[in-house]
Amino acid sequence: MTARQIVFIALLLIASGLFARTARRMVGALRRGRPTLAGFRDWGGRVGDVLLFFFFQRSVAREGLSWHHLPIFWGFLIITVGTVEIVLSGAIPSFSFAWLFGTRVDHGFKTVLDLANLWVLAMVTWGFLRRIIIKPRLIPLSLDAALVLGLIGLLCVSHFVHYAFGGHEVQHLPISAYVARLAGAGSTAVGHTVAEVAWWTHVLIILFFLNYIPHSKHIHLLGSLPNILLRNRGQRGVLPKLDLEDENQWGVSRFDQFDWKSLLDTYACTDCARCSNNCPAMATDKPLSPMHLIHDVRHEMLARGALLARLSPSVKPGVEAKPDEPKPSAQDEAVLKELEALPSMVGGRIKDETLWSCTTCGACEAVCPVFIEHPMKILQMRTHITLAEEHRVPGELKRMFRGIENNQNPWGIGSDKRMDWAEGLDVPVMADKGEAEYLVWIGCAGSFDDSAKKISRAWVQLLSEAGVDFAVLGLEEGCTGDAARRAGNEFLFQMMAEANVETLKGYKVKKILTTCPHCFHSFKNEYPAFGGTYEVTHHSQFLAKLVAEGKLKPSPKVQEAVAYHDACYLGRWNNEYENPRAVVAAATGKPAMELPRHHEKSFCCGAGGAHMWMEEHGPRMNVNRTEEAVKTGAKTIATACPFCNVMLSDGIKALNRDDDVRVVDLAQLLAEALPKSSAPPAGDAPATE
């Protein structure tokens, strides 16, 4: 065995050992997370996800200037395969793929490998230019990025030099052959020395990468594939039901209170900044960057996890030893002091203001190429603050909680006024009717907000016009608890959910109609955990169905195009985009005008995540969105959510455009389009005192 082989094998063993130790520490940190409640089924679909989203980079490739990432990724995979041969030749000098696959296959692969190195080198050069000249938002040319791009480029160059100067047959290596001709390379002592330097450069870069990647932003090379494989393939945005008898389930304050799949998310982050670039809080100068929040969780996990790994198994941080248990050793005491010196995760590393800035719109999660669930983590940390650190909850939310608890609505308006919106209308009530095919859930906004009351009136009159068998709960209706849950008050949400389920059970309700996407999401996706399983339909879906069946026959009157704003909880969280547009088209006779940010890229109105009842500081999200809508030239902006309606209407007033631009709900728009002989009366709802 030559000295070269001995040195190489020693370096390979050292690098592999260091990587194994790091990997063990990373896996150990994950294992401190709680068991996941997810059921990992449909493995065929999961393998398909890996092929589509990992190997073919579907989510990355569709994002504009990120097209260069795809050839870098594919090229790097090919280079990695080629590197296997180079590394093995360090231990077995005569090793070649020709041994295994034959000369023809080997030559064909070498041609592809040579071209792949050129392509990756070109893309790395573009990556540098992009960061230096174009400067994409939130993706600066950091030292980490420069180092990785530079080393990948050097890896490609060392490949060409190794084959060009090493006396190899290069007729099947077009680029290396060109380099050989250009440099006049031959089988000389100098040429062999240059080739040897290139070989060692190539190998050392690989061994360095092996141990640098877990500590850099490129940790996603290890975490993204398993994260895609194990992603949530079911309904998104559903908080798990907590056992409130167990205080350990009162949200998340430490990294180990997340389940291990949530912690795996942090290894998968690609630092692409798509989440932060699409976040409405970030866009309006709030202290929230979803990308940095994920980084903070990872840093917390690795820093605290490394210390926890040094503790004796019998020592539990924050738990005093029992009299009959041995006292912590001096080493354990030292580690415990180091743990105490670390900032806490919630309220320390991750500020309260960061968590309260989130509107839970889901824009971050929708654009993440590796399926990280940012909002879930934020809501779990909010839950800890609300349930365990109540004094840290903003005052506006405390008032909202009292309103729901005392009067079953976030505004705190007397619950005896819940049916005032229906004054002058003959609206069937379940207590009087006994049974109906559909329960129409009016919701708190539709019952108490003055502008949303008009939506409720138009909605029930359309149902009557279409001959639908329906009834409302009237004074028996309560808040679904969505806003309380999104603000972290799981106690209050469960109290509301259980009460509502019991009421609905008494009337044998099976089908629910609602105008509110938040009520829609709660009933459809979260109430089943409390025994409430219903067929839930949003009014945009039901109105489109009534029009398609000919039960409502609009005669379009609106001449100008109507711009449609996608509600987050209807669109991103529940994938309903087409039925609202069908209603706009039916009511106006022309397709809905699209805002620049639409469908899954729609910009939040700013009301979600209980922000409807919170004071917003800095630039306002609703104004940002309204400006975008007004710039389209549309004189009518249609919504399918009472909260969006309120926020955009306020935005119109803030822009002093309420004289020439209006905001209406789909139900109002469709009611206007009905023939006069059958149109519902246009009486306004009484104002709430």
Side-chain angles (χ1 to χ4, degrees), residues 1 30 99 137 349 351 385 391 401 412 424 452 454 591 618 620:
M1 186 175 290
L30 285 184
W99 284 12
R137 186 171 181 259
R349 192 186 292 271
K351 305 298 183 186
I385 294 174
H391 63 280
F401 296 153
K454 299 175 184 178
R620 299 185 66 85

Side-chain angles (χ1 to χ4, degrees), residues 189-210:
V190 173
H192 283 300
T193 301
V194 172
E196 189 70 7
V197 170
W199 184 87
W200 277 107
T201 299
H202 199 91
V203 166
L204 290 174
I205 289 174
I206 293 299
L207 297 182
F208 173 77
F209 263 145
L210 185 65

Side-chain angles (χ1 to χ4, degrees), residues 79 81-87 89 95-97 106-107 109-111 113-114 117 155-181 185-187 191-192 194-199 202:
I79 291 172
V81 175
T83 297
V84 171
E85 182 182 56
I86 291 179
V87 170
S89 70
F95 179 84
S96 168
F97 280 156
D106 179 61
H107 285 183
F109 173 72
K110 290 295 197 314
T111 301
L113 176 63
D114 215 45
N117 273 276
L155 201 65
C156 298
V157 171
S158 65
H159 160 86
F160 297 133
V161 174
H162 169 66
Y163 281 103
F165 286 85
H168 300 276
E169 295 180 12
V170 293
Q171 66 271 19
H172 51 278
L173 296 163
I175 311 305
S176 297
Y178 178 76
V179 172
R181 291 194 300 272
S187 183
H192 283 300
V194 172
E196 189 70 7
V197 170
W199 184 87
H202 199 91

Side-chain angles (χ1 to χ4, degrees), residues 14-196:
I14 292 170
S16 300
L18 291 173
F19 176 77
R21 186 179 71 173
T22 301
R24 181 180 178 185
R25 179 168 66 89
M26 291 171 61
V27 172
L30 285 184
R31 292 179 63 186
R32 290 189 175 274
R34 289 177 171 168
T36 180
L37 298 177
F40 298 116
R41 302 180 182 87
D42 188 15
W43 287 101
R46 293 183 181 282
V47 171
D49 287 343
V50 170
L51 292 174
L52 186 63
F53 295 106
F54 183 78
F55 288 105
F56 288 98
Q57 301 275 293
R58 178 183 175 185
S59 296
V60 176
R62 68 186 179 189
E63 294 290 333
L65 289 175
S66 293
W67 61 270
H68 69 291
H69 192 279
L70 192 58
I72 286 181
F73 176 77
W74 282 347
F76 197 75
L77 288 180
I78 296 170
I79 291 172
T80 300
V81 175
T83 297
V84 171
E85 182 182 56
I86 291 179
V87 170
L88 288 176
S89 70
I92 308 171
S94 59
F95 179 84
S96 168
F97 280 156
W99 284 12
L100 304 175
F101 308 112
T103 302
R104 181 175 297 180
V105 173
D106 179 61
H107 285 183
F109 173 72
K110 290 295 197 314
T111 301
V112 173
L113 176 63
D114 215 45
L115 294 172
N117 273 276
L118 178 64
W119 187 241
V120 170
L121 184 59
M123 292 301 100
V124 165
T125 303
W126 165 247
F128 270 115
L129 293 175
R130 179 174 178 248
R131 284 171 167 82
I132 294 171
I133 298 174
I134 299 177
K135 297 180 179 179
R137 186 171 181 259
L138 301 180
I139 312 179
L141 182 62
S142 63
L143 178 61
D144 182 43
L147 177 63
V148 170
L149 286 174
L151 288 177
I152 292 175
L154 187 56
L155 201 65
C156 298
V157 171
S158 65
H159 160 86
F160 297 133
V161 174
H162 169 66
Y163 281 103
F165 286 85
H168 300 276
E169 295 180 12
V170 293
Q171 66 271 19
H172 51 278
L173 296 163
I175 311 305
S176 297
Y178 178 76
V179 172
R181 291 194 300 272
L182 194 66
S187 183
T188 64
V190 173
H192 283 300
T193 301
V194 172
E196 189 70 7

Side-chain angles (χ1 to χ4, degrees), residues 305-317:
L307 290 173
L308 290 172
R310 289 164 48 193
L311 281 176
S312 301
S314 60
V315 178
K316 306 294 181 185

Side-chain angles (χ1 to χ4, degrees), residues 560-567 571-572 576-585 588 590-603 625-639 648 666:
E560 75 277 2
V562 171
Y564 175 67
H565 159 78
D566 285 290
R572 271 191 292 269
E576 179 53 77
Y577 297 108
E578 300 314 315
N579 278 307
R581 287 168 170 79
V583 175
V584 172
T588 64
K590 59 184 67 175
M593 179 187 292
E594 298 291 0
L595 276 63
R597 294 173 290 189
H598 58 87
H599 283 76
E600 69 174 16
K601 289 293 187 71
S602 178
F603 193 79
R625 182 58 164 173
T626 307
E627 285 178 337
E628 181 179 9
V630 168
K631 286 177 182 177
T632 65
K635 299 302 181 184
T636 299
I637 303 167
T639 70
L648 295 182
L666 296 177

Side-chain angles (χ1 to χ4, degrees), residues 26 28 52 138-139 143 153 161 394 400 409 492 515 521 535 570 591 656 676:
M26 291 171 61
L52 186 63
L138 301 180
I139 312 179
L143 178 61
V161 174
M400 181 194 74
N409 70 86
L492 189 52
T515 61
H521 183 78
E535 179 186 314
L570 185 62
N656 294 315
K676 288 185 179 180

